[in-house]
Amino acid sequence: MRIAAVELSVVRLPLVRPFETSFGQMAAREFVLVAVHDDGAVGWGECVADADPFYSAESTTTAWHVLTKYLVPAVIGRTFAHARDLSAAWRRVRGHPMAKAALEMAAWDLEARQASRPLCELLGAGARPIASGVSLGIEPTVDALLARVETELAAGYRRIKIKIKPGWDAKPVEAIRARFGAIPLMVDANAAYTPADAATLASLDRFDLMMIEQPLHYDDLVQHAALQRSIRTAVCLDESITGPAAAADALELGSCRIINIKPGRMGGFGPSLAVHELAVARNVPLWHGGMLESGIGRAHNLHLSTLERFVLPGDVAASRRYFVPDLIDHPIEVAPDGTVAVPPGPGIGVIPVPSRLSEATLQREEFR
């Protein structure tokens, strides 16, 4: 595989409805889209960094800078035996896993397309239906949240996740349990709590949640271990799992019992596969999170979700929940049984519609 050309685009897509978490509300998704070319074939990747550095230190602006100045120049014109080998070309560049992931994952798509194989096979699995959960943002009222839950359950989603923050935790969870009973339910704090909130988090034990995702600081493992010892509900780590080393440390310390893998956040498929191998060896359940990706990133997530330790419903919801229209030619849909099919065909199985991509593009640069 030769990296003959790379196209970068900053794309902006309005969300169907605003999405609120503990660190703010988002009305549109702005991200960097990567296209890697070789002899007529094109692989696509999506950078999950937001326009603002709230979820992560990275942003659309930093990703663009690192891609254009360091990552793309390190690989352009070079030939690689495998997509996983690209990371060695930018070993000097510390951090910036989201920028790295976008280029690395585009190369995986390119390699799979050139081999006329679906990406999941290159990753080590076969296509299978993926159980889909849905992530609901913070709503203005509990009644509005209950209405959203009812709509998503009717659409077939197998698991409900709600965002929480101090002051918006026990009350909405209690209302959901009272209205909908023992549905699969989890909460995601996005690092909104501190160890001083341990009693509040422990009070959620009575609701029989699947997990509490990332309750404490985004780079903490020690305090999460103390919290996990003090509550019955499983802690799931997301932001804290920066790669295989962090995952191994978290499991050794007892910081969590479940891990959320997001290749776009973790640096690509290489680190994600290493964490998956660790989870297999330690018999740790995994699930695949989402970051409001367009259909390009969503398709990548579906292919990775086919691996064996992804045993819990992921956040790979239908395209139309977020974008109408999406960038891709065939939108990702949720079947009545609550599963999502892996897009058929070589690579990730989808491509952007040129007119939609052109309309949504704010900035573009090409390297040859």
Side-chain angles (χ1 to χ4, degrees):
M1 174 180 60
R2 181 172 180 264
I3 310 299
V6 176
E7 293 176 68
L8 302 178
S9 304
V10 177
V11 177
R12 188 179 190 275
L13 293 176
L15 290 165
V16 170
R17 54 184 291 122
F19 190 82
E20 184 174 344
T21 68
S22 60
F23 44 77
Q25 188 181 86
M26 183 184 299
R29 184 82 172 94
E30 184 178 303
F31 57 93
V32 178
L33 195 67
V34 179
V36 177
H37 297 253
D38 179 26
D39 195 24
V42 185
W44 295 91
E46 178 174 336
C47 182
V48 298
D50 292 328
D52 301 306
F54 299 153
Y55 172 87
S56 161
E58 290 184 82
S59 68
T60 306
T61 302
T62 66
W64 182 270
H65 172 71
V66 171
L67 280 161
T68 58
K69 186 171 178 61
Y70 299 105
L71 304 185
V72 173
V75 301
I76 196 75
R78 294 183 57 181
T79 299
F80 297 89
H82 194 286
R84 68 168 63 92
D85 299 332
L86 265 71
S87 60
W90 55 63
R91 187 166 292 156
R92 291 193 305 163
V93 180
R94 295 192 182 190
H96 303 282
M98 294 178 176
K100 292 174 179 176
L103 185 53
E104 189 244 35
M105 293 167 72
W108 278 83
D109 182 34
L110 174 63
E111 181 175 345
R113 290 180 192 270
Q114 289 179 319
S116 298
R117 297 173 63 190
L119 176 60
C120 58
E121 291 185 4
L122 216 62
L123 294 171
R128 62 178 176 88
I130 304 302
S132 179
V134 68
S135 178
L136 302 180
I138 295 169
E139 295 286 343
T141 66
V142 170
D143 286 343
L145 176 63
L146 294 176
R148 294 297 304 163
V149 173
E150 185 171 31
T151 297
E152 305 303 351
L153 289 175
Y157 288 102
R158 292 191 176 185
R159 182 267 293 145
I160 299 293
K161 178 174 88 171
I162 68 166
K163 298 289 186 177
I164 62 171
K165 64 180 180 179
W168 178 267
D169 37 48
K171 186 176 180 180
V173 173
E174 184 173 27
I176 291 172
R177 280 286 182 243
R179 174 82 170 270
F180 301 104
I183 62 169
L185 179 65
M186 60 175 286
V187 297
D188 180 8
N190 288 117
Y193 295 83
T194 72
D197 298 309
T200 298
L201 296 169
S203 73
L204 300 177
D205 280 343
R206 69 187 190 274
F207 298 117
D208 193 28
L209 299 173
M210 296 173 65
M211 67 190 86
I212 300 175
E213 185 181 1
Q214 196 66 44
L216 306 180
H217 199 264
Y218 65 88
D219 65 355
D220 170 77
L221 296 179
V222 173
Q223 295 297 335
H224 274 111
L227 176 66
Q228 183 65 97
R229 290 192 296 269
S230 70
I231 64 176
R232 295 196 310 273
T233 306
V235 170
C236 169
L237 289 184
D238 173 12
E239 292 98 313
S240 296
I241 306 299
T242 54
D249 289 345
L251 296 178
E252 186 66 27
L253 290 168
S255 307
C256 63
R257 299 207 295 264
I258 300 170
I259 289 176
N260 175 357
I261 285 185
K262 295 176 179 174
R265 175 187 55 70
M266 200 177 288
F269 288 131
S272 300
L273 291 172
V275 174
H276 181 268
E277 291 176 8
L278 177 66
V280 170
R282 299 285 295 265
N283 198 30
V284 174
L286 300 175
W287 65 283
H288 203 307
M291 297 190 65
L292 301 180
E293 293 96 337
S294 78
I296 296 298
R298 209 166 292 268
H300 275 284
N301 296 348
L302 281 167
H303 281 272
L304 184 63
S305 297
T306 60
L307 272 66
E308 63 175 294
R309 284 311 297 168
F310 288 94
V311 295
L312 301 173
D315 276 346
V316 190
S319 297
R320 61 184 174 183
R321 284 200 74 254
Y322 303 104
F323 310 110
V324 178
D326 198 347
L327 282 181
I328 59 175
D329 46 0
H330 299 293
I332 291 167
E333 303 283 3
V334 174
D337 67 352
T339 62
V340 182
V342 175
I348 59 174
V350 297
I351 58 173
V353 175
S355 60
R356 296 180 192 170
L357 176 56
S358 177
E359 184 177 352
T361 297
L362 305 177
Q363 183 179 357
R364 182 178 176 276
E365 189 164 348
E366 184 174 338
F367 301 79
R368 291 188 178 275

